[in-house]
Amino acid sequence: METDFTKSYYNEPMGLTHDISTIKQQYRELFELAHQRLLDLFAQLHANHHCTQCETPATSILEILHTDCGYQAWQKEVIITLDQTIGKQILESLEKIEQAKNVKGSCHQCGVCCSLASSEFSYETLQEKAQNGDYFAQQFTSVFLPYDSPEAAQAKFPEMVTEILDQADGPVYFYHCPYLSSDNKCTIYNDPRRPQICADYPETPLILMYKNCGYQPWKTEMMPTTLLAHATLELCQYYSQKILDALKAAQ
Ligand SMILES: [Zn+2]
């Protein structure tokens, strides 16, 4: 499989990771693990099926089978198992990660997540996305304002901005929230203007996080589980679609 599954996680606003290359490597390893587990599952379910017409059993779950082949039931069972059993496991895993957030981590009110957000998208693009109904962009642009220049962001956060720029493979735009007080308090904390994305921060261990952020212990501990869950989800979507295609081609 040649698709670069890692790509999609780094394109969200504020989605740049602390150390992209390490995480990409970790993701690839866990992707292989998730893949092997699914292949084992396919093999296990294979034993439940047979075909009176096939001289040799179907070997690949993606095979285009002959009409009324007994192994189509295998393909269907795999789709259902991916959707229900594995899907449920992924959800449970993501719920555990979320539940651990305020156990393993806490906000130390450093204010960095409010003062330095980054995105591959310019303010104009984000506004456009917001107008087109993009939930994140709507929330983000409802409070965040762009820095006048990357240099202005760099002057305030030299280390982080340099790191982000070094690791980005395209343009990066920096933003800050004007509702942060000088003592790092949110001045719209109990106000309906405060977006849900702020309440949810950090939404996933995959996002960019200041190295002294109080959620770092959570991020570090939950990273492998998160990557494994995302890899499994990507693989389930891939296989479900490909098996459906094979089933359709057989009919
Ligand atoms: Zn057959």
Side-chain angles (χ1 to χ4, degrees):
M1 216 175 300
E2 290 301 317
T3 319
D4 183 6
F5 287 99
T6 59
K7 187 74 182 162
S8 55
Y9 298 112
Y10 306 108
N11 290 338
E12 298 296 316
M14 300 203 297
L16 288 163
T17 60
H18 176 64
D19 185 347
I20 291 169
S21 56
T22 308
I23 288 172
K24 276 189 174 173
Q25 177 58 32
Q26 213 179 358
Y27 188 78
R28 282 194 192 100
E29 286 165 20
L30 289 167
F31 187 88
E32 286 311 311
L33 175 67
H35 196 194
Q36 194 50 56
R37 283 183 182 173
L38 288 187
L39 295 178
D40 291 347
L41 173 73
F42 301 162
Q44 197 189 325
L45 296 177
H46 186 275
N48 301 339
H49 304 277
H50 68 279
C51 176
T52 49
Q53 296 170 62
C54 282
E55 281 177 28
T56 54
T59 50
S60 165
I61 192 68
L62 301 181
E63 210 169 304
I64 296 169
L65 302 162
H66 66 86
T67 311
D68 298 329
C69 179
Y71 290 104
Q72 285 181 9
W74 174 44
Q75 294 180 320
K76 287 173 189 164
E77 192 185 1
V78 164
I79 291 180
I80 291 167
T81 308
L82 291 180
D83 182 51
Q84 294 177 2
T85 314
I86 307 297
K88 192 163 167 250
Q89 286 171 7
I90 295 169
L91 274 181
E92 284 170 354
S93 180
L94 294 176
E95 275 165 16
K96 270 187 199 155
I97 293 162
E98 173 65 24
Q99 283 160 6
K101 185 154 77 182
N102 292 309
V103 180
K104 309 277 179 191
S106 62
C107 178
H108 297 170
Q109 299 198 336
C110 71
V112 177
C113 60
C114 313
S115 313
L116 185 72
S118 63
S119 172
E120 64 169 324
F121 299 117
S122 71
Y123 193 54
E124 291 67 32
T125 305
L126 284 172
Q127 284 178 313
E128 214 171 284
K129 285 163 87 74
Q131 274 169 8
N132 292 329
D134 184 299
Y135 172 78
F136 189 96
Q138 284 171 348
Q139 296 245 315
F140 190 82
T141 55
S142 76
V143 288
F144 281 93
L145 292 175
Y147 276 90
D148 292 337
S149 64
E151 291 74 25
Q154 199 140 26
K156 221 173 160 197
F157 297 99
E159 211 182 311
M160 272 186 91
V161 169
T162 303
E163 191 181 2
I164 294 166
L165 290 174
D166 282 353
Q167 294 187 348
D169 49 12
V172 185
Y173 300 88
F174 295 96
Y175 298 89
H176 64 93
C177 178
Y179 295 107
L180 192 70
S181 69
S182 54
D183 60 347
N184 286 338
K185 296 270 196 313
C186 174
T187 58
I188 54 166
Y189 194 81
N190 290 313
D191 190 304
R193 284 176 295 171
R194 184 179 183 235
Q196 188 59 34
I197 54 166
C198 298
D200 291 345
Y201 184 90
E203 203 195 350
T204 150
L206 294 170
I207 62 165
L208 167 77
M209 201 181 273
Y210 177 48
K211 65 178 177 193
N212 295 328
C213 174
Y215 287 102
Q216 276 291 352
W218 170 73
K219 177 184 162 90
T220 307
E221 189 173 329
M222 293 297 150
M223 186 60 84
T225 317
T226 308
L227 294 173
L228 188 63
H230 281 276
T232 307
L233 181 63
E234 295 266 3
L235 284 158
C236 284
Q237 287 167 343
Y238 172 85
Y239 275 106
S240 298
Q241 188 54 54
K242 290 283 174 189
I243 297 168
L244 269 180
D245 292 346
L247 278 166
K248 273 183 202 151
Q251 283 158 8

